[in-house]
Amino acid sequence: MLLKEKITAQLPEWRDRVTKLVKENGDVKVGEVSVSQIYGGIRGVKSLVTDISYVDPNEGIRLRGYTIPELLEKLPKSGDAKFPLAGGVYYLLLVGDIPTLEQAQAVENEWKQRNELPDYVLNVLRAMPKDSHPMTMFSQAILALENQSVFAKRYFEGMTKMDYWEATLEDSLNLTAKLPSIAAFIYNLKYGNGEFVKPDPSLDWSANFAYMIGKGDDDEYKDLARLYFLIHSDHESGNVSAHATHLVGSALSSVYYACSAGINGLAGPLHGLANQECLRWLLDLQGEFDHFPSKEELEKFAWDTLNAGQVIPGYGHPVLRRPDPRFTAQFEFGKQFMPDDDLFKLAALVYEVVPGVLGELGKVKNPWPNVDAISGTLQYHYGVTEFDFYTVMFGVSRIMGVTANAVWARALGQPIERPKSLTTKMLEEIVAEAK
Ligand code: HAX
């Protein structure tokens, strides 16, 4: 298999590099930890390692060294598509290089051979209460697939440590292959006729998602799916979904357990659920006026939200200090394909007004839009109006990133995570001694 060959070829060098770094420089200090960081969500503590992506506060995400605009330009596209194949994105995350079109298609073909969704998973989803959140259903479906884990089976057969990554790659391909089908089935079950639509083998992974939710004739939506699945795939290791996945995986739980945990984290309103909250806020704003609001009216609406003790969803970020390039890429898509859409125009006005309001608040470190500020608006335009579903699409994409990280964590022998906790009294004593 192409991916296995490409990773195998790099492994000796990577293993030597990491072993040498730790053996010869293991005691070199990378940073310090302050009391406020310990109480403040470990913000900014340099304690994780990944070579798959890096978030620069000003520049935003780079996947394997490439910015979002570079990726949109360089990653291979098939046929008339204007946006890249997800198979190429996954190749890039796993292997580290921009693939050729043939290499991207090889990953797409690998997925096609593994995309069959067992009946029992469909039945688990059918058995869930009608008011289950789509993220609960998504996490549940991933967990239900755990019995298929190649890693778990081979581990109990006595697989050697050196082979962990290969079994993890198998699980990762088997899981990622099924994600569009799982997501589309949840969509159809929750909002449609409950039909399970099989993927069309002539379509790519992203376009198949569009096809299975009934948008097979909409080429623009297929391109939006390709863009969406690219930009949400990875965002360093410290965000909740990535870190939760890594933490659970570090116990050698399979990627099914680990990804289900990551998805549970993504379901939080301060993380992936912000995209649903964001659209809700925008629709509330739209509903508030019988006309297109003026800047002053919007400003007042934003202050009303803040004064009610709520956050403005889609704005702010723990690391970024500029507009998120993932926002910008989607905003450009909107400008190109739906410049006259009322909701898009409103989102554009929010972008003009809200950073100023958050700036005036004084405490917000980053008043700029993040990835979630616009993604729902684009979905809404194409008729995917059920906004509690949006985070599932985020999850479909994010699992590409977290499984690529899982493969490399196993390949480089990353151990079980175990940070140390202290009591408040101990911290008080440390502070007293420092004075
Ligand atoms: N609206 C109102 N207040 C905000 C705010 C916003 N959009 N962003 C930050 N603040 C507030 C914080 O709540 C915090 O207030 P307190 O000190 O009273 O607790 C203060 O400003 C400082 O926060 P910060 O250091 O700037 O930001 P954090 O790193 O603590 O939090 C968040 C980052 C993304 C959680 C935050 O900006 C937020 O709640 N934004 C709105 C929700 C959102 O868009 N989440 C999605 C983030 C992207 C993502 O992960 N997607 O999956």
Side-chain angles (χ1 to χ4, degrees):
M1 186 222 302
L2 177 70
L3 289 169
K4 200 166 138 186
E5 273 167 37
K6 292 280 175 186
I7 296 173
T8 304
Q10 300 176 32
L11 268 185
E13 201 183 320
W14 269 109
R15 283 177 172 154
D16 284 354
R17 192 170 157 193
V18 172
T19 309
K20 190 162 176 272
L21 184 66
V22 177
K23 204 169 161 199
E24 294 175 9
N25 305 287
D27 293 333
V28 173
K29 297 255 181 308
V30 176
E32 291 179 338
V33 186
S34 65
V35 172
S36 59
Q37 284 176 312
I38 293 176
Y39 271 101
I42 339 179
R43 195 77 83 261
V45 177
K46 296 181 183 113
S47 55
L48 297 165
V49 59
T50 175
D51 293 285
I52 292 178
S53 66
Y54 182 76
V55 182
D56 178 85
N58 292 313
E59 199 183 49
I61 185 73
R62 279 181 184 262
L63 301 181
R64 293 291 196 172
Y66 297 96
T67 62
I68 296 285
E70 285 167 352
L71 292 169
L72 291 175
E73 189 207 318
K74 289 182 199 293
L75 280 170
K77 305 165 185 90
S78 75
D80 294 333
K82 295 189 180 65
F83 288 85
L85 285 168
V89 177
Y90 204 38
Y91 180 103
L92 173 83
L93 296 172
L94 280 162
V95 175
D97 311 323
I98 298 276
T100 62
L101 178 59
E102 289 67 33
Q103 288 169 330
Q105 268 161 346
V107 178
E108 292 276 346
N109 289 336
E110 199 63 58
W111 275 336
K112 280 175 192 168
Q113 287 159 31
R114 299 166 184 256
N115 66 10
E116 198 174 322
L117 204 53
D119 274 349
Y120 69 82
V121 176
L122 305 182
N123 289 334
V124 164
L125 292 173
R126 287 188 185 111
M128 292 180 75
K130 286 277 165 278
D131 63 352
S132 302
H133 192 281
M135 283 299 275
T136 320
M137 299 170 84
F138 189 44
S139 174
Q140 191 74 64
I142 294 166
L143 200 54
L145 282 165
E146 212 281 333
N147 70 328
Q148 307 209 335
S149 171
V150 174
F151 182 89
K153 183 167 174 287
R154 288 185 55 195
Y155 184 85
F156 287 105
E157 287 167 0
M159 158 174 64
T160 106
K161 263 190 172 179
M162 298 301 267
D163 292 346
Y164 284 0
W165 74 270
E166 271 183 55
T168 304
L169 178 62
E170 282 297 315
D171 280 353
S172 299
L173 283 165
N174 287 335
L175 173 59
T176 47
K178 297 173 179 54
L179 295 173
S181 300
I182 297 173
F185 182 58
I186 292 171
Y187 186 82
N188 294 335
L189 197 59
K190 193 110 180 118
Y191 318 107
N193 58 8
E195 194 193 343
F196 173 63
V197 183
K198 283 198 164 169
D200 174 346
S202 72
L203 295 175
D204 58 270
W205 192 82
S206 309
N208 245 319
F209 167 75
Y211 161 73
M212 289 185 280
I213 62 161
K215 305 215 167 288
D217 297 330
D218 191 338
D219 287 342
E220 244 174 62
Y221 187 78
K222 285 183 195 155
D223 265 331
L224 178 61
R226 294 184 185 105
L227 171 65
Y228 194 100
F229 293 144
L230 188 174
I231 60 177
H232 289 82
S233 60
D234 206 38
H235 214 236
E236 259 188 24
S237 289
N239 67 77
V240 170
S241 52
H243 191 202
T245 309
H246 177 73
L247 174 64
V248 173
S250 83
L252 294 185
S253 304
S254 73
V255 294
Y256 297 95
Y257 281 127
C259 288
S260 177
I263 290 303
N264 296 344
L266 193 68
L270 294 188
H271 190 20
L273 209 74
N275 59 12
Q276 109 167 33
E277 293 304 311
C278 204
L279 193 72
R280 193 199 306 276
W281 189 81
L282 214 53
L283 291 174
D284 285 351
L285 167 64
Q286 197 176 43
E288 181 80 3
F289 303 99
D290 57 5
H291 55 274
F292 192 79
S294 65
K295 278 188 187 175
E296 292 68 31
E297 284 171 326
L298 203 159
E299 223 173 277
K300 183 180 175 308
F301 188 85
W303 276 113
D304 286 349
T305 301
L306 295 172
N307 292 335
Q310 291 158 15
V311 295
I312 298 188
Y315 284 75
H317 200 273
V319 179
L320 291 173
R321 295 297 176 253
R322 287 276 183 280
D324 188 334
R326 302 170 301 169
F327 165 86
T328 311
Q330 296 179 93
F331 195 58
E332 290 303 317
F333 187 101
K335 284 204 272 192
Q336 187 178 351
F337 294 108
M338 60 193 78
D340 299 325
D341 179 289
D342 281 345
L343 206 59
F344 178 73
K345 285 198 283 191
L346 193 58
L349 189 67
V350 171
Y351 180 29
E352 262 185 63
V353 170
V354 161
V357 172
L358 289 177
E360 268 182 62
L361 199 60
K363 61 178 179 179
V364 182
K365 295 195 188 66
N366 172 38
W368 299 107
N370 60 54
V371 65
D372 298 319
I374 189 79
S375 53
T377 306
L378 306 189
Q379 294 296 326
Y380 205 81
H381 174 81
Y382 292 102
V384 182
T385 54
E386 302 83 0
F387 46 86
D388 55 355
F389 182 72
Y390 297 162
T391 316
V392 174
M393 296 173 64
F394 190 155
V396 166
S397 170
R398 179 50 54 93
I399 291 177
M400 284 202 276
V402 296
T403 53
N405 273 284
V407 170
W408 277 96
R410 298 261 161 97
L412 298 178
Q414 288 197 7
I416 188 164
E417 257 195 30
R418 182 51 168 102
K420 181 84 186 98
S421 51
L422 302 172
T423 63
T424 302
K425 186 161 181 285
M426 287 170 184
L427 285 172
E428 284 164 351
E429 283 162 7
I430 290 170
V431 169
E433 269 172 43
K435 278 189 177 158

